[in-house]
Amino acid sequence: MTLEITPSRLDSLFRPRSVALVGAADKSVFSQLAYRNLDDFGFADRTYLVNRRGAVTHGRSTVTSCGQIGDPVDVAFMMVPQAATLDALSDAAAAGIRNAVILSSGYGETGEDGRAAEIELVAHARSLDMLLLGPNHLGFANFTTRTPVTSIPGLPSEAGPVALLSQSGGSSSAMLDFASVAGVGLSLMVTLGNEAMITAAHVLDYVVDDPNTRAVAMFLESVREPDVFRQAARRALAAGKAVVALKAGSSALSARTAAAHTGALVGNDRVIDAVFRDLGVIRVDSIEDMLLTAGAAAYLGRLARPGVGVVSISGGACDILADRAQDFGMSLPELAPETTRALTEIMPAYGTVQNPLDVTGSAINNPSMFTGAITAMSADPSVGVVAVVNSLPWESDGRPYATQAFVDAIGDGVATARGPVVHVNQVQQPITKYTRQVMDAGRVPYVLPGLRQAVTALSNVAWWSGLTGDRAPDAVGPVVTVAAERRRGAWTEIEARALLADASIPMVPGHLATSEDDAAKLAAEFGGPVALKIVSKNILHKSDIGGVRLGVVGEQAARQAYADVAASALKVPGAIVDGVLVTPMRSGGVELLVGVVQDPQWGPMLAVAVGGIFVEVLGDSVLAPLPVSTARAAEMLRGMRASALLDGVRGGRPADVDEVASVITRIGDLAVALGGELESLEVNPLWVNGGMIEALDAVVTWSPK
Amino acid sequence: MTLEITPSRLDSLFRPRSVALVGAADKSVFSQLAYRNLDDFGFADRTYLVNRRGAVTHGRSTVTSCGQIGDPVDVAFMMVPQAATLDALSDAAAAGIRNAVILSSGYGETGEDGRAAEIELVAHARSLDMLLLGPNHLGFANFTTRTPVTSIPGLPSEAGPVALLSQSGGSSSAMLDFASVAGVGLSLMVTLGNEAMITAAHVLDYVVDDPNTRAVAMFLESVREPDVFRQAARRALAAGKAVVALKAGSSALSARTAAAHTGALVGNDRVIDAVFRDLGVIRVDSIEDMLLTAGAAAYLGRLARPGVGVVSISGGACDILADRAQDFGMSLPELAPETTRALTEIMPAYGTVQNPLDVTGSAINNPSMFTGAITAMSADPSVGVVAVVNSLPWESDGRPYATQAFVDAIGDGVATARGPVVHVNQVQQPITKYTRQVMDAGRVPYVLPGLRQAVTALSNVAWWSGLTGDRAPDAVGPVVTVAAERRRGAWTEIEARALLADASIPMVPGHLATSEDDAAKLAAEFGGPVALKIVSKNILHKSDIGGVRLGVVGEQAARQAYADVAASALKVPGAIVDGVLVTPMRSGGVELLVGVVQDPQWGPMLAVAVGGIFVEVLGDSVLAPLPVSTARAAEMLRGMRASALLDGVRGGRPADVDEVASVITRIGDLAVALGGELESLEVNPLWVNGGMIEALDAVVTWSPK
């Protein structure tokens, strides 16, 4: 019997018709909080309390087993001790309950015994065809259906478009608090706990199909099912639902901390960056940015253009915004002549028509300047969203709100604008009931709090909006097959060269010499200086034993070099030597490193770097999961800090970046085609001189069987 | 008559015994707001209203001129039209008023005529011995003395230790809002406006002596009096009062925006960074961080050690904190054995004793774990401050606060800890009256909102706390004098070499050849390859005309090179040629660029970079105002992205960084000694190979008279 965790199957968990609170007890804080939530949300009449002794609990009668409930129940919310959970699962299953939310701790997070108990728990649930959420978490709440199956206090009372998924139970309460403070409405909140069966990736997959969810905020300490996550993230991107992730573990210390409290493996952070970028997952670095970006994406949707038009009454705010826009890569386009014309009509003579626009103090006497400025900005051909900077109140001072006229004028702008408009609060402030009244009166639907946070959210949404998915992820170029018996160990350079050549990757010319005469003849043929390298599958570090000679000029020198290099093999007793590879030396241009390694979680990862001293001194490399399109490969090249080298420095010729990108793509495609047994494939250097591109050396190794 | 803007003189402005509202009018919003503030703060009985027609205003009788007031008045708050301001000043001065706060606009911010009016305004005030704040601003408020001379609505009602200075009037209201939201108490708030007379630097100088101010928050668009600012910032550092600046203009666009609305010159942003760093001014990038960092510095004071010990009940919060600590350079020290021992006694077996510390869910049943953990952490020899992550409520749900016990336990920790303790809210939340009740009940004095913001504030305070002022700023090494008539134009390399040698800067050997024989003899003496360069004060770009030969080997080649280089001078008709400089070539090692230029605002600035391709491709340079200590010069070397080059790559010898730093300091000292007429002094390259350090080329130019 297979238990599939599909969106449709999860629907009965996250939209239950009724819930059994198993282990309900007056003296349990968790039980109290869970029941209070169900009651507060009007779900008490669809809640059944199961108490071992049948005692009156939370003021209600109880049953001693699920079987006694009689009515159909979708979810058992279990808060029984760990030791009693297996029996409780059996009892629930016998009553036809197919989903369990296991609050109890004492599983994988506690050590060896706990891990064994968790494995047993999952096996038992599978045998009962039951889905498990948790254990060791705080449940979930569906705000759309008003079903709180959670012991988190202080749930927001209103629903909204953002699904919140958290691997941290302890932080989820703070996340809910901030969602309330910032006015970010939630559709669903799920705490994941140990993810014994249902992972964050499964829930992400579920909410892609949830009509009430328009964006997803995720707090992650690790990604436990990379393939499910990948597929769900791709579906979300296609569905136009932004996925915003706060992924812990960017520091070594955090990796230690996360390991300490969840036992999860925190992956290499640069790989996570590259994978998220590839999947269109927006990565943020605070709880606040996670919820604000998700809220903005849900409210604004995909922007037609990345440009932000800014309207403000504070010159200081314009300055700060412009600075942060530059920091975070938010586009503040110059205005088109027709926009400038329209704004000039509105603005006083001493004002400056530009983006960001300071409407000046004139707006105090004439608030409708806001409306006019928003309308004009929104019509600009480079503007995808208008951000209006203003301040909203959070506490009433007992008098009518002094600048309600500004809010009204901005609301008029929202109504008449040609594109989306967002109100930005100049500083972080809560959206209180009073704030909401002021907003509603002015018909201002959404607010981003604080200039830096607003710039972060808008640049995130703009980046996500521009993702085109320029290449189908499974489209792979050349199909090169390698017989199974050859997929082992480290290949010689001769073998690696042949493989790359088969895959249409340009190689520097080279031939195997097996005598001094051969070497002399090849040196003469190639003309300029040559390199000689020992070729033996037993010799991995050729240079270390003197198996490499570079810059050898002339036939006589070639003979001597051959003799020296061949002799070096004697230092590796028993080495089988194929001969000596002779290649012409290349000079000038730029040397790149193009390497592929297998990430244990995410599969083949491509690294591109400027070779030589730059990668040594600066660690200047760019990562991407494979395959990569040529457009992406070109972006990687441009993403290197030393990318100006490609433009040609000190009289060098500018590199043909498109052609280099195309070669990189082919190297990546080759690695993908070779499959998971490939351990590494590295071209170092890939020599680039204008339009001349050649792999000067290549390494291929295979994973131990 | 000179009018000096001294702290004691400013005291009568910022702590007035009484205020005259000149131009008070019922129909003026500014007048209404100003009077309302004075009334709300209980200052109405020390406020006199001056109205042109003597009409009853704001429900009070008025006088038609200041002379009619009779009582002594310290400040005239002027809201008369621009055209009437000069007369109003005379009237106020005649009544003995020595300070004017000019709200009116229509001055420098509006263009040529306005600038003329502003100059006239200042001249008039000077002739009357009156101090001017503004014009074109919104006044100031002294919260300690409860004197609001401002038209900004919604002033905070409680005073605190942070002085807030803003060059933006339009944003100051939002800044006050955030100070209230975040619970950052203010001593004084001053909007600067056009700074016609009193600048932000003067007010900074004033608050250094204000006993009610413990830290300063400044929003700056430009620094108008660099010398006053510099001196005031140094005094603040010495007084242990942190200065936190949000300086706009880091982007080209923001510079444009600021220019548009204040007419201020926005300086080069990298210079500002370097100067602020040198002065110990903390630079931030949002209004929120400005106020939170200033609040934290005021509350915590100087930390004895930079290490932060973190105590939290959320593992997720620990992870996020650790990540951001790494991003912002906040130190999370490993705990000492005795701390680990103490914490192990408190923690459950399944918990992990580390920093950051997750006290685990055990604290739910045993909140005193917080107290114990804080006490133990605060005693750790590496911990300078304990940050306790928790959540506080902002709205009552009508029930007693559920986790008051946590707050109480944290308050107990604050009381018993050996060092400072700060409560960190897991997310941004307002400090409402309810929050304050909960805090007060638990004796928790101060809260930082949001993990990222808390890490920013604490790392800022830790950086500032560690400033030692390792060298008196006016200590300058070698005194080298250059006769006045020689301080002009561009010097020849021979002249520059002599100057540097006088200042004990090691030069590559070199001699002037004036014949082919000389050149051949020098080449023979030096042995290896040599460089030949034309020496003429009329030839600036030697290479362009063929006036440089590098890598010349042997006597015959030297003769030919001499002939070629000498001949190159013919391409510059009329050039007076001194001869040809012959120096040995150097290879290996690292080439640095060490240059000094004069910043128009801040004086001589030192730039250090890795020379050659690195500075070309990466723009990898570090700036500092002069003079620099050797410790600072060493920091600059370590601050370059390519600093690993100094450790020796590819078999190179590690540089003697201390000795290189010492040479850089001498170059800087030389530039300072040469004075403001020096335009630029550049050593490029400064060649470093292990302990061998030589200036291979030098340029000295002087400003046009």
Side-chain angles (χ1 to χ4, degrees), chain A residues 325-521:
Chain A
Q326 174 162 300
D327 291 351
F328 301 142
M330 186 176 93
S331 160
L332 291 171
E334 296 225 17
L335 300 174
E338 60 268 29
T339 314
T340 303
R341 227 169 1 249
L343 289 172
T344 304
E345 283 182 26
I346 300 167
M347 290 278 288
Y350 64 86
T352 308
V353 174
Q354 62 180 8
N355 182 23
L357 182 75
D358 174 3
V359 293
T360 78
S362 304
I364 293 170
N365 292 319
N366 182 14
S368 72
M369 284 181 70
F370 275 107
T371 316
I374 293 166
T375 310
M377 280 274 191
S378 75
D380 188 279
S382 301
V383 168
V385 58
V386 176
V388 191
V389 183
N390 182 42
S391 292
L392 290 173
W394 60 289
E395 283 181 322
S396 170
D397 63 356
R399 307 167 175 125
Y401 178 51
T403 51
Q404 181 70 47
F406 286 0
V407 183
D408 296 347
I410 293 167
D412 288 348
V414 172
T416 56
R418 293 223 200 144
V421 179
V422 64
H423 184 294
V424 172
N425 244 9
Q426 202 173 156
V427 290
Q428 297 163 9
Q429 284 177 12
I431 306 292
T432 61
K433 284 192 192 72
Y434 181 62
T435 314
R436 188 63 75 182
Q437 275 172 30
V438 169
M439 289 166 66
D440 288 348
R443 294 181 303 147
V444 165
Y446 195 72
V447 173
L448 280 169
L451 297 175
R452 184 180 53 195
Q453 291 183 156
V455 171
T456 300
L458 291 175
S459 52
N460 283 338
V461 172
W463 172 76
W464 166 77
S465 298
L467 297 176
T468 52
D470 56 353
R471 181 173 178 176
D474 52 354
V476 164
V479 177
V480 177
T481 52
V482 171
E485 67 275 14
R486 291 191 61 215
R487 289 185 226 133
R488 61 183 62 200
W491 278 11
T492 66
E493 191 173 341
I494 293 288
E495 291 174 294
R497 286 172 54 87
L499 179 70
L500 266 67
D502 278 357
S504 308
I505 291 149
M507 302 298 304
V508 68
H511 295 289
L512 197 65
T514 52
S515 67
E516 290 186 16
D517 284 350
D518 278 0
K521 199 173 137 210

Side-chain angles (χ1 to χ4, degrees), chain A residues 89-103:
Chain A
L89 275 185
S90 301
D91 177 57
I97 302 178
R98 296 184 65 208
N99 303 292
V101 174
I102 315 272
L103 186 103

Side-chain angles (χ1 to χ4, degrees), chain A residues 298-318:
Chain A
Y299 169 66
L300 298 170
R302 241 190 245 282
L303 304 180
R305 289 165 291 280
V308 180
V310 175
V311 176
S312 166
I313 197 176
S314 159
C318 288

Side-chain angles (χ1 to χ4, degrees), chain A residues 36, chain B residues 395-402 434:
Chain A
R36 182 193 282 178
Chain B
E395 283 181 322
S396 170
D397 63 356
R399 306 167 176 127
Y401 178 50
Y434 181 63

